Amino acid sequence: MDTNLIIIIVEGIITFLLGGTVVWFFLSKSNKDKEKIAEEKAQSIIKEAEAKAEILKKDRMMEAKEKFYQLKNEHEKLISEKDKNIAIAENKLKQKESTLSQKMEQAQRKQTEVEAIQQNLKNQLEIVNKKKEELDKSHQKQVAQLEKIAGMTGQEAKTQLVEALKAEAKTEAMSYIKERMDEAKLTANMEAKKVVIQTIQRVATEHAIENSVSVFNIENDDVKGRIIGREGRNIRALEAATGIEIIVDDTPEAIILSGFDPVRRELARLALHQLVTDGRIHPARIEEVVVKVKKQLEDEIVEIGKRTTIDLGIHGLAPELIRMVGRMKYRSSYGQNLLQHSREVANLCAIMAAELGLNVKLAKRAGLLHDIGKVPDEEPELPHAILGMKMAEKFKENAEVCNAIGAHHDEIEMTSMISPLVQVCDAISGARPGARREVVEQYIKRLKDLEALALSYNGVEKSYAIQAGRELRVVVESEKISDKQAEILSHEIATKIQTEMTYPGQVKVTVIRETRAVNYAK
């Protein structure tokens, strides 16, 4: 507390006590005694108050001193910390200064070393230049001596040397070219075969797919699970029994049968059909059905061969050849059924042989058997014409028939008149328009070309190729084309198609001219 405040309080207390004492004093004693007593008491009270005030003053002074010392200590701590930080910073600066001084010393040492090296190089360069000058002088002296001895200048000697080198290089180049030409001649056939094989690889994909894949249609996809069986045991048993890969994928309502043997694919297809129809599909049943279907298929093949020979009037054919004729039904060549192709060739050979006065029966026999090399039980590495000829010879066929089979692709020399006849009829049957598969891109291109050909004429508004390209409908503008001109246009388009395009069968050209009168009733 403030000292002045304490003094004021003490004075108030003294005044209050003095007033009470004076009253009491006047009541009990005389005025003189009362004054004396009051004075004494006042003095004692004042002394007590002064003593207390002194004590309070000392307490406050002690508190102030303690606070002062506390603030002083805190201030000293802050100063000591700052001093420490300053000392640390000074130490760091001193370390950096020492490091920099060391680096400066190293740099000065390196600079001194570099200057010494430069000076050394300059000295060596001067020595080299001196030696070079000495060598040049010596070289000039030697050249002068050589020119004097040879009787020609250095330029003339250089020209003579260049000419000699040119002649030598020309001789070596001609020798090298000759060696390369000889090597090219030796490897030309091999390289040509490689080119042909690479070309075949690029274009054979579609044909390979067609001839190695069959599709087995099913009513719903639930059958796929039954065909696969538990953990795939049914499909494994079916593949092992038929030798055909069975592909069950996401294709809706279809199963793919993959294999290069068309008879085995047909066996797998028939076995699957019987198993799905019966409903009982398990490994034992699969083996039983495959054996049964295989026997039925063999009987059917033989029956087809017999029926074909009877239809063509061919007699005395070996049973094995009859069976191979039946196997032709399950083989195709570029989309053309092989049995149908062989029947066509046989009939064509018979007709041409009759016209030329040749043996009709032998011609028909050779025509039917000319492609039996495509359906052997085994696949030896021989052309099908040579293989067919060997098979015919094995079963004692006529020599002219054997020669016709072997020579229909010029594999061997033709020795009879029937051989070129079979070759020609094979080409007629296989190459006629529509006989064999047409690539999809070529088919679409032919349709587009038909429509573009019609649109190239003036007055044609629209053109549509319909009926798989067998009919072309042309819509003309009635204002530009009359009825008479429409008939002429139809004839011109048909003639142009006939002369400029290749197509199967015939193309019907229909020109449509229409006049419309339109009004509105309001």
Side-chain angles (χ1 to χ4, degrees):
M1 294 177 65
D2 191 10
T3 305
N4 294 328
L5 181 60
I6 293 170
I7 293 169
I8 292 169
I9 293 170
V10 170
E11 287 178 354
I13 293 169
I14 292 170
T15 304
F16 175 74
L17 291 174
L18 286 174
T21 305
V22 170
V23 172
W24 179 79
F25 180 76
F26 280 110
L27 291 177
S28 61
K29 291 182 179 183
S30 64
N31 290 334
K32 191 175 180 178
D33 293 333
K34 290 177 182 180
E35 289 179 357
K36 189 178 180 179
I37 293 167
E39 186 178 352
E40 291 176 355
K41 286 186 176 183
Q43 290 292 329
S44 67
I45 289 169
I46 290 168
K47 287 180 180 179
E48 290 177 358
E50 287 178 352
K52 288 180 180 180
E54 189 66 24
I55 292 168
L56 287 172
K57 183 177 179 182
K58 288 180 180 180
D59 291 339
R60 295 297 175 271
M61 290 294 290
M62 288 296 294
E63 288 178 0
K65 286 181 180 180
E66 287 177 359
K67 193 170 183 181
F68 173 75
Y69 285 128
Q70 184 178 359
L71 293 172
K72 184 179 178 182
N73 291 331
E74 290 177 356
H75 181 66
E76 288 177 352
K77 284 181 181 179
L78 289 173
I79 291 171
S80 63
E81 288 179 359
K82 289 182 179 179
D83 291 339
K84 287 180 181 179
N85 292 332
I86 291 168
I88 292 168
E90 288 178 352
N91 290 330
K92 288 182 179 179
L93 287 172
K94 289 178 180 179
Q95 289 177 358
K96 288 182 179 179
E97 286 178 358
S98 62
T99 305
L100 287 172
S101 62
Q102 290 176 0
K103 289 183 178 180
M104 289 291 291
E105 291 176 358
Q106 291 177 358
Q108 288 176 357
R109 285 199 299 271
K110 288 182 179 179
Q111 187 175 359
T112 305
E113 292 175 358
V114 170
E115 289 176 354
I117 292 169
Q118 287 178 350
Q119 186 63 37
N120 189 14
L121 288 173
K122 286 181 180 178
N123 296 333
Q124 290 180 358
L125 185 61
E126 290 176 357
I127 294 169
V128 169
N129 290 331
K130 289 180 181 179
K131 288 184 177 180
K132 185 178 179 183
E133 290 176 358
E134 292 175 359
L135 287 172
D136 289 339
K137 291 177 181 179
S138 175
H139 177 68
Q140 290 175 2
K141 289 180 181 179
Q142 290 175 356
V143 169
Q145 290 176 359
L146 287 172
E147 288 178 352
K148 187 176 180 181
I149 293 169
M152 63 177 69
T153 62
Q155 187 63 35
E156 291 174 350
K158 189 185 293 184
T159 305
Q160 187 176 354
L161 180 61
V162 169
E163 291 297 330
L165 289 174
K166 281 183 179 179
E168 185 179 353
K170 189 174 181 181
T171 304
E172 290 181 0
M174 292 298 293
S175 176
Y176 179 78
I177 291 169
K178 186 176 183 303
E179 290 176 1
R180 297 285 79 77
M181 289 294 291
D182 293 339
E183 184 180 349
K185 288 178 182 178
L186 290 174
T187 59
N189 290 332
M190 186 181 297
E191 294 298 325
K193 288 178 181 178
K194 286 182 181 179
V195 172
V196 172
I197 289 170
Q198 289 172 358
T199 305
I200 291 171
Q201 286 176 338
R202 293 176 62 186
V203 302
T205 305
E206 187 175 352
H207 173 62
I209 291 172
E210 180 181 352
N211 287 318
S212 61
V213 171
S214 297
V215 179
F216 176 70
N217 295 312
I218 55 179
E219 292 182 356
N220 55 69
D221 290 341
D222 296 337
V223 180
K224 292 182 179 179
R226 293 165 55 199
I227 292 173
I228 295 171
R230 184 180 299 173
E231 298 179 356
R233 62 177 186 175
N234 289 348
I235 195 169
R236 285 199 300 272
L238 195 56
E239 288 179 342
T242 60
I244 293 297
E245 182 183 4
I246 300 172
I247 302 170
V248 181
D249 54 15
D250 295 335
T251 306
E253 299 181 356
I255 295 173
I256 308 299
L257 308 176
S258 177
F260 284 98
D261 191 334
V263 177
R264 288 210 298 262
R265 289 206 309 273
E266 181 66 12
L267 172 63
R269 190 187 69 80
L270 293 174
L272 268 175
H273 176 71
Q274 191 164 337
L275 288 167
V276 171
T277 304
D278 184 46
R280 293 177 295 166
I281 306 176
H282 53 82
R285 175 65 178 166
I286 288 169
E287 292 177 0
E288 179 186 344
V289 169
V290 168
V291 171
K292 183 179 178 181
V293 171
K294 188 174 184 180
K295 179 66 171 60
Q296 292 175 355
L297 188 59
E298 288 292 334
D299 294 341
E300 183 181 352
I301 287 171
V302 173
E303 183 62 28
I304 291 169
K306 288 180 179 179
R307 191 163 56 246
T308 302
T309 56
I310 292 170
D311 290 344
L312 294 173
I314 297 173
H315 305 287
L317 208 60
E320 186 62 24
L321 293 179
I322 291 174
R323 189 175 72 85
M324 289 185 179
V325 170
R327 284 170 65 91
M328 289 182 183
K329 179 182 177 182
Y330 301 103
R331 174 68 187 264
S332 62
S333 180
Y334 295 97
Q336 183 181 23
N337 184 268
L338 192 59
L339 180 59
Q340 184 64 32
H341 167 65
S342 298
R343 289 173 67 107
E344 287 181 3
V345 173
N347 288 322
L348 288 169
C349 285
I351 294 169
M352 289 190 178
E355 291 291 333
L356 297 171
L358 302 176
N359 190 326
V360 175
K361 291 185 178 181
L362 283 180
K364 189 180 288 187
R365 200 180 190 96
L368 178 65
L369 299 177
H370 79 284
D371 271 345
I372 58 170
K374 290 184 177 180
V375 287
D377 293 325
E378 298 178 356
E379 296 287 345
E381 295 181 358
L382 285 174
H384 76 275
I386 302 298
L387 182 60
M389 181 186 71
K390 290 184 178 298
M391 293 169 64
E393 290 174 349
K394 178 181 177 182
F395 295 108
K396 312 299 182 187
E397 280 294 324
N398 187 286
E400 292 185 12
V401 173
C402 294
N403 181 259
I405 294 171
H408 78 279
H409 285 309
D410 293 325
E411 301 285 351
I412 62 172
E413 186 179 355
M414 297 181 182
T415 59
S416 69
M417 293 296 293
I418 295 176
S419 299
L421 203 64
V422 172
Q423 187 181 51
V424 170
C425 293
D426 177 46
I428 292 171
S429 175
R432 65 178 173 78
R436 295 190 173 180
R437 166 183 53 79
E438 192 176 28
V439 181
V440 175
E441 289 83 4
Q442 293 177 353
Y443 168 74
I444 295 172
K445 184 177 182 301
R446 178 165 58 82
L447 298 186
K448 288 183 177 179
D449 290 343
L450 274 173
E451 294 179 352
L453 187 146
L455 289 171
S456 65
Y457 285 85
N458 292 327
V460 176
E461 184 179 4
K462 299 174 184 177
S463 66
Y464 304 100
I466 61 175
Q467 296 293 328
R470 289 190 292 272
E471 182 177 352
L472 180 64
R473 290 190 179 176
V474 182
V475 180
V476 299
E477 298 176 14
S478 58
E479 297 83 4
K480 296 182 180 179
I481 304 294
S482 64
D483 290 340
K484 186 66 176 178
Q485 290 173 333
E487 293 179 3
I488 297 171
L489 181 62
S490 175
H491 176 71
E492 289 178 354
I493 292 174
T495 304
K496 193 170 184 179
I497 291 172
Q498 187 172 343
T499 55
E500 295 184 3
M501 295 187 66
T502 303
Y503 51 92
Q506 63 182 14
V507 178
K508 178 183 178 182
V509 179
T510 303
V511 176
I512 301 172
R513 178 179 180 271
E514 184 181 27
T515 303
R516 294 187 182 183
V518 180
N519 280 297
Y520 295 92
K522 297 182 181 179

